[in-house]
Amino acid sequence: MKKNIYIFLFIAVVILLNACKKKPESKMIGLWQLVEYTNNEQVPPELKELYKKNIDDYVKSTSFYFKEDSVLYSIQKMDTAKGKWSVDKNLTSLEMYDDLQNSKAKVDIISVDDKTLKLRSKNENFEVNMKLEKVNK
């Protein structure tokens, strides 16, 4: 009888520990505000000021809402695009799919924690780096 109790307790503890484990992608869940955006695009000197203003406007008005059911909302100014998102098991790459434009993008996850998400996208000679901060709600 004692042996059965120990087996039952062991199974209960294992089930409880597995139920409490957070999946790596749970760090992504939530609303993230873009706070930094840089790229290596070469801009003519006469357009640098306008280009910087456009980037600043983009940063201020862009956020991403990663939902638990893999739905992604990309919000820029008053426009919202809906799609899907997924990450690899090591949390090193993020894949986003835009339903409206029927397009897919894959970016590297440089780092992610409870407050900050850093992403990088490389395409031949073009590189983009983004830093996002989690919005507490």
Side-chain angles (χ1 to χ4, degrees):
M1 182 72 174
K2 245 183 177 181
K3 185 178 179 181
N4 288 341
I5 291 174
Y6 288 124
I7 291 173
F8 172 75
L9 286 174
F10 176 75
I11 292 172
V13 167
V14 168
I15 290 172
L16 184 61
L17 288 175
N18 283 330
C20 292
K21 273 187 189 175
K22 283 187 174 183
K23 294 181 179 180
E25 61 265 20
S26 66
K27 288 183 178 182
M28 301 289 295
I29 306 298
L31 180 62
W32 295 86
Q33 177 65 47
L34 185 61
V35 292
E36 287 179 24
Y37 175 95
T38 60
N39 65 47
N40 62 347
E41 185 171 9
Q42 299 300 315
V43 180
E46 64 273 11
L47 296 177
K48 282 193 178 193
E49 191 174 317
L50 178 61
Y51 187 78
K52 183 183 177 336
K53 183 188 178 319
N54 287 337
I55 294 294
D56 290 346
D57 288 346
Y58 176 72
V59 168
K60 289 176 188 172
S61 66
T62 301
S63 58
F64 299 91
Y65 183 29
F66 296 91
K67 293 189 66 182
E68 207 169 325
D69 58 0
S70 297
V71 171
L72 169 65
Y73 292 99
S74 175
I75 306 152
Q76 187 178 3
K77 293 186 181 180
M78 300 305 280
D79 295 327
T80 301
K82 183 179 177 187
K84 296 278 187 188
W85 69 277
S86 65
V87 292
D88 65 339
K89 66 180 180 177
N90 298 323
L91 215 57
T92 57
S93 69
L94 166 65
E95 197 167 279
M96 299 173 285
Y97 179 79
D98 184 333
D99 289 344
L100 185 62
Q101 295 182 6
N102 197 24
S103 64
K104 192 181 286 190
K106 188 173 184 178
V107 297
D108 298 325
I109 298 172
I110 303 306
S111 66
V112 60
D113 59 33
D114 294 337
K115 297 178 182 179
T116 306
L117 172 61
K118 293 182 180 179
L119 304 172
R120 178 180 53 221
S121 174
K122 283 185 175 182
N123 186 354
E124 294 179 21
N125 297 329
F126 190 66
E127 182 175 322
V128 172
N129 289 286
M130 294 189 291
K131 179 181 175 184
L132 299 101
E133 290 181 352
K134 193 166 238 183
V135 178
N136 293 327
K137 288 216 172 194

